[in-house]
Amino acid sequence: MARSTEKKQAILNAAISEFKNNGFANTSMDQIAMAAAVSKRTVYNHFASKDILFEAILNQMLTLFSAAVCVKYQQGTPIVEQLTQIAEQEVVLLSDPAFVDLARVIMAEMMHTPERINSAMKQVESRDGDLISWLNAAVCDGVLNISDTSFAATQFYSLIKAFCFWPQVVQGQAFPDKKQQSMIIDSAVTMFIGAYKV
C-alpha cells in the first residue's frame, strides 16, 4: 500500500473513531489529524472538508456491503443450502468490527441530521434487491410461495440482525460465537422455509 493511501486510510479510521466517540458535530479536523498522527494539512489534502470526509466513510460502508453478499439463485441446488449460504455471508459482514463501527457512526448521524445520509441509506437498502431477485427466482422455480418478496427479504435479514447486529450496535454486546452463529442461521433458515416453502 502506498504511503499516501496508508495515510488516507489512517485518517478515515481516525475519523470513524472520533465520530463514534464524540459525534460528527463535536469532532474537529484537528482532533482527526491528531488521532491519525498526521498534520491537519495532510487531512485537508485528502479531504477538503469534514462533510467530504463523512461521505468517504459512507462510501466505505457501501463498499463493504457490495463486496459482502453475492446472491444468485441456483436452480437444482437445495433451497436450504442456498439460504444458509446467504445467511452465512451476511453474518460474516455483520461480524466485521469495522462494519459495526461504521454502522454506529452512521446511525448516530442519521438521528441528528438524516438528510446528510438519506441518499446513502437508499443505496444500502437497495442491496436487499439481490435477495429480492433471488426470492423472485425461487418463486418462479416453484420452490417458494411468497406474495411480497420485498417484505420477505427484510424479514429474513431481520431474523439474523436481531442477534448479529442490533445487540452489538445498540447495546455493545459481544458478537455471537461460532456455535451461536450456527444456531441463529439454522433457526432463521428453518423459520423462513417453514413460512414460505411450497
Side-chain angles (χ1 to χ4, degrees), residues 99-182:
F99 176 82
V100 174
D101 282 347
L102 285 168
R104 284 183 179 140
V105 167
I106 290 167
M107 286 176 64
E109 189 59 18
M110 182 168 58
M111 295 180 73
H112 296 296
T113 51
E115 65 279 359
R116 185 188 305 282
I117 63 170
N118 276 344
S119 61
M121 288 310 296
K122 285 177 184 174
Q123 292 181 63
V124 168
E125 289 164 6
S126 72
R127 74 181 280 271
D128 285 359
D130 288 344
L131 181 55
I132 292 168
S133 296
W134 184 92
L135 291 171
N136 284 330
V139 169
C140 289
D141 197 25
V143 177
L144 296 178
N145 181 20
I146 303 174
S147 58
D148 186 343
T149 51
S150 177
F151 175 86
T154 300
Q155 186 181 47
F156 182 68
Y157 281 140
S158 295
L159 289 169
I160 298 165
K161 288 179 179 177
F163 302 97
C164 297
F165 179 73
W166 293 114
Q168 292 73 39
V169 171
V170 177
Q171 298 171 303
Q173 290 186 14
F175 200 82
D177 61 29
K178 291 293 183 184
K179 184 177 179 181
Q180 292 169 327
Q181 290 174 34
S182 180

Side-chain angles (χ1 to χ4, degrees), residues 3-23:
R3 185 163 176 75
S4 176
T5 304
E6 286 179 358
K7 284 188 177 181
K8 184 175 181 180
Q9 190 57 52
I11 294 165
L12 280 169
N13 292 342
I16 291 166
S17 177
E18 292 300 309
F19 290 156
K20 182 180 74 170
N21 294 330
N22 308 311

Side-chain angles (χ1 to χ4, degrees), residues 61-82:
M61 187 171 198
L62 292 173
T63 299
L64 282 174
F65 262 129
S66 61
V69 180
C70 179
V71 179
K72 190 159 188 174
Y73 183 74
Q74 301 164 30
Q75 190 174 29
T77 301
I79 202 80
V80 170
E81 183 181 320
Q82 293 188 61

